[in-house]
Amino acid sequence: MLIDIIAGARPNFIKIAPIIEAIEMRRNEGIDIRYRLVHTGQHYDRKMSGDFFDQLNIPAPHHNLEAGSGTQAEQTAKIMIGYERLLVEKPCDLCIVVGDVTSTMACSITAKKMNNIKVAHVEGGIRSGDWTMPEEINRIVTDAITDYFFTTSEVANINLRNAGVNDDKIFFVGNTMIDTLYRNMPRFQRPAIWDKYELKEKDYIIMTLHRPANVDNKEKLYELIKEIVRSSCGLPLIFPVHPRTAKMLETTGIDAGNLHVIEPLGYLEFNYLVKNAKAVITDSGGITEEATVMGVPCMTLRDSTERPETCTVGTNELLGTDPKNIAPAFEKLFSGQWKKSGIPELWDGKTAPRIVKHLIDLFGLD
Ligand code: UD1
Ligand code: UDP
């Protein structure tokens, strides 16, 4: 059996690493299960792509569709055309997509239209309810044509059931991003900037921003950062900047003594900083999950989340996108009032082997 594994953007690489490892383990046991890694090229900078392959020991992709950047439609079209060509030349039996990026949606549609290819969606069923986000459209479209849903939470299971999906297609397995986190925690690396900015454990904030709603508008971005700087009482703010944010950030001209703007970090360095931070401030999805598992207070600059368990069980709190909500959150943090976290069900580091076990059963490979 040949499985295509699709990865295109930064969080995808982190989610596929343990799936590849689990497939290879079962293949070494003599099971007829092979994979082909397809990189769509949605992210291409070394710091957004190649470094993750090196640090997480992900094998080089078998194919790179080299879609690159573009508008939503341009990117979707380029990925679909590239992937269709590959499938026509050499079809697979199953296409595994992860997460909610454009590559996820584009490849799931392409595979499903080949008729004989099944689609599995890892992280299926999550919903923010915010249709202004491209990711929500990607999730809805992908889930509308998915054959096997591998889910991260009971909320996702409920969302799928409410959408009419039968229970026999839903597999509650946990979170592959957390597999990667547990696997690599002993390997986390202190980055060079630790000494440069004289950082101390639990005495700095790490922040990331890349959602269009926060970063595509110069005034909005400026107001958010200004308020974070104002509220953080001079603590060092480490800000590894996503390429989407970089250009706009320059135009804001913002500058503050405690704001340290740096390039995106490698996985091992970034999570070293999260683990040791006083708090995280972000609009990322994946980072709210990692902060939850590491028990680090997390403030999310979004009005909604597709990962409610990071708030109900974890350390995450939604502040919304109005800068006036930032100061009260920092006050809560500094007065030691931040909630304690638990770990969501099945986020135990063993998700990828569960997924592969289900695939072996579903495809009768034993
Ligand atoms: C994408 C995902 C988002 C995810 C994020 C992870 C979609 C719709 N969005 O957002 O869900 O959270 O990735 O990081 O799929 N760029 C570079 N170099 C790169 C990649 C991007 O410079 O290697 C710049 C380009 O100017 C590009 C812009 O970033 O136009 C946005 O990239 P894109 O992949 O379209 O979306 P992201 O904002 O990265
Ligand atoms: N990440 C990283 N370096 C950084 C910022 C993030 O390695 O400088 C990792 C982070 O640990 C998480 C993933 O990238 O595993 C999250 O990706 P991102 O925030 O880009 O996307 P989202 O999860 O919001 O889709």
Side-chain angles (χ1 to χ4, degrees):
M1 176 194 185
L2 179 64
I3 300 174
D4 273 358
I5 298 179
I6 309 297
R10 177 165 68 186
N12 292 169
F13 310 132
I14 293 141
K15 290 169 195 175
I16 59 152
I19 301 175
I20 290 177
E21 196 182 305
I23 290 176
E24 280 178 345
M25 269 181 64
R26 301 310 295 262
R27 187 168 147 75
N28 289 340
E29 291 168 6
I31 289 173
D32 173 25
I33 186 165
R34 288 174 302 129
Y35 74 93
R36 179 168 68 176
L37 177 55
V38 181
H39 191 320
T40 66
Q42 178 174 346
H43 284 178
Y44 42 84
D45 286 348
R46 185 121 206 107
K47 291 190 179 306
M48 296 300 287
S49 174
D51 284 353
F52 294 92
F53 284 75
D54 295 345
Q55 287 203 334
L56 303 177
N57 296 316
I58 304 171
H62 297 87
H63 299 275
N64 191 321
L65 307 178
E66 293 180 352
S69 300
T71 66
Q72 293 291 311
E74 284 166 348
Q75 219 172 29
T76 305
K78 281 193 218 156
I79 297 169
M80 289 181 78
I81 292 167
Y83 189 43
E84 188 182 55
R85 276 199 195 119
L86 177 63
L87 289 179
V88 167
E89 205 179 294
K90 192 160 188 288
C92 62
D93 302 296
L94 171 76
C95 171
I96 297 186
V97 293
V98 300
D100 55 19
V101 303
T102 300
S103 304
T104 310
M105 177 189 71
C107 290
S108 64
I109 295 174
T110 310
K112 192 64 188 168
K113 286 195 169 183
M114 302 296 285
N115 290 330
N116 291 322
I117 302 176
K118 300 280 189 198
V119 172
H121 186 194
V122 172
E123 208 184 271
I126 63 175
R127 296 286 183 273
S128 68
D130 180 353
W131 286 46
T132 66
M133 292 179 67
E135 293 84 354
E136 186 72 350
I137 313 294
N138 295 342
R139 291 180 199 115
I140 291 168
V141 173
T142 303
D143 285 348
I145 54 169
T146 287
D147 296 286
Y148 310 117
F149 299 87
F150 293 108
T151 62
T152 49
S153 69
E154 183 54 24
V155 176
N157 302 339
I158 293 167
N159 291 338
L160 290 170
R161 284 186 208 118
N162 289 344
V165 177
N166 281 337
D167 270 328
D168 60 358
K169 295 170 86 179
I170 305 172
F171 304 91
F172 179 27
V173 288
N175 192 328
T176 62
M177 194 170 235
I178 301 308
D179 285 16
T180 298
L181 188 73
Y182 280 129
R183 170 62 54 95
N184 290 285
M185 228 176 249
R187 302 176 61 229
F188 286 172
Q189 290 170 13
R190 182 179 279 194
I193 54 124
W194 184 275
D195 291 334
K196 182 173 175 192
Y197 298 128
E198 299 178 345
L199 301 182
K200 293 189 204 76
E201 267 179 42
K202 303 291 165 194
D203 209 24
Y204 63 91
I205 308 286
I206 179 136
M207 64 189 265
T208 77
L209 294 173
H210 72 277
R211 296 290 161 206
N214 287 335
V215 308
D216 283 3
N217 176 293
K218 179 177 155 183
E219 284 74 33
K220 178 83 189 180
L221 181 62
Y222 177 82
E223 288 303 323
L224 283 174
I225 298 177
K226 194 180 78 174
E227 192 55 28
I228 294 168
V229 168
R230 205 180 66 81
S231 307
S232 55
C233 295
L235 274 193
L237 288 166
I238 307 299
F239 186 13
V241 177
H242 188 286
R244 175 176 210 111
T245 314
K247 287 171 222 147
M248 194 59 81
L249 188 65
E250 242 173 61
T251 69
T252 65
I254 198 152
D255 189 22
N258 63 330
L259 177 67
H260 304 300
V261 175
I262 59 174
E263 291 200 310
L265 286 166
Y267 180 83
L268 300 175
E269 291 85 354
F270 181 76
N271 281 292
Y272 181 96
L273 288 185
V274 172
K275 189 160 190 275
N276 292 292
K278 182 161 188 71
V280 178
I281 184 156
T282 190
D283 57 12
S284 161
I287 293 168
T288 65
E289 300 181 334
E290 291 163 343
T292 280
V293 169
M294 293 192 274
V296 177
C298 182
M299 313 176 198
T300 294
L301 298 179
R302 284 179 53 192
D303 293 311
S304 61
T305 177
E306 58 291 332
R307 295 160 162 90
E309 61 283 354
T310 62
C311 297
T312 53
V313 179
T315 53
N316 188 22
E317 194 170 308
L318 293 184
L319 305 191
T321 59
D322 187 336
K324 78 172 180 346
N325 298 332
I326 292 172
F330 271 98
E331 278 159 27
K332 196 195 280 185
L333 176 74
F334 289 135
S335 63
Q337 305 293 307
W338 207 267
K339 60 187 168 183
K340 298 283 172 266
S341 88
I343 302 211
E345 195 181 351
L346 291 182
W347 292 17
D348 58 1
K350 298 174 188 155
T351 295
R354 276 187 207 113
I355 292 173
V356 176
K357 168 81 175 82
H358 283 303
L359 293 178
I360 289 170
D361 293 346
L362 284 165
F363 286 81
L365 303 178
D366 246 345

